[in-house]
């Protein structure tokens, strides 16, 4: 059974930093894209950053130059290093993985971790 577990959220002051982690569990799986999404209160879920299995990255314009996505391909981990945080970065951050398990491709999501940027 494939599971995604996030950690690293919390409360931080504007200008501060946080690092989110997401671990994908499951035996015999293949992971393609991994990404971070976020959802602000009363807003839809938006893509923050994505990294393909080739290591190609893409970022939302609002986080370029401040956030960095990285992966540990051997351990099925994905990270999001967030710097120079702004109040508008507040939201629930979700980990996403495109996983093939037993020949079947599916989208998987973590449970979400709250990030609050406030003084």
């Amino acid at each position: 059974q494939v599971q995604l577990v996030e950690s690293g959220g919390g409360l931080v002051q504007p200008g501060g930093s946080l690092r989110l982690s997401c671990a994908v569990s499951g035996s015999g799986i293949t992971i393609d894209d991994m990404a971070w999404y976020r959802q602000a209160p009363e807003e839809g879920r938006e893509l923050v950053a994505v990294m393909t299995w080739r290591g190609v990255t893409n970022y939302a314009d609002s986080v370029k130059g401040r956030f960095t996505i990285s992966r540990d391909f051997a351990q099925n981990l994905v990270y999001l290093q967030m710097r120079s945080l702004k109040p508008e970065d507040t939201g629930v951050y979700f980990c996403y993985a495109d996983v093939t398990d037993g020949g079947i491709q599916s989208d998987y999501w973590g449970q979400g971790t709250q990030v609050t940027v406030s003084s």
Side-chain angles (χ1 to χ4, degrees):
Q1 183 177 1
V2 177
Q3 288 187 318
L4 277 62
V5 179
E6 300 127 336
S7 60
L11 172 64
V12 63
Q13 292 187 341
S17 299
L18 278 177
R19 187 191 194 211
L20 306 182
S21 302
C22 174
V24 183
S25 62
S27 59
I29 61 174
T30 301
I31 303 174
D32 193 343
D33 293 355
M34 293 194 76
W36 290 95
Y37 286 73
R38 69 185 178 191
Q39 187 165 12
E42 301 181 9
E43 298 284 341
R45 193 172 295 189
E46 65 168 347
L47 176 67
V48 175
V50 59
M51 180 179 280
T52 71
W53 67 272
R54 290 187 175 90
V56 177
T57 59
N58 195 24
Y59 296 90
D61 287 343
S62 59
V63 307
K64 284 180 181 176
R66 301 188 298 121
F67 290 11
T68 303
I69 188 171
S70 60
R71 288 174 67 170
D72 181 333
F73 289 89
Q75 299 296 322
N76 291 341
L77 296 165
V78 64
Y79 304 98
L80 185 68
Q81 178 67 53
M82 305 184 290
R83 299 182 176 88
S84 301
L85 282 160
K86 305 175 181 180
E88 51 263 43
D89 294 317
T90 294
V92 180
Y93 284 67
F94 297 90
C95 176
Y96 161 86
D98 176 351
V99 178
T100 298
D101 183 11
I104 299 173
Q105 183 276 327
S106 301
D107 297 333
Y108 289 89
W109 295 88
Q111 79 284 359
T113 185
Q114 177 71 43
V115 171
T116 302
V117 184
S118 175
S119 55

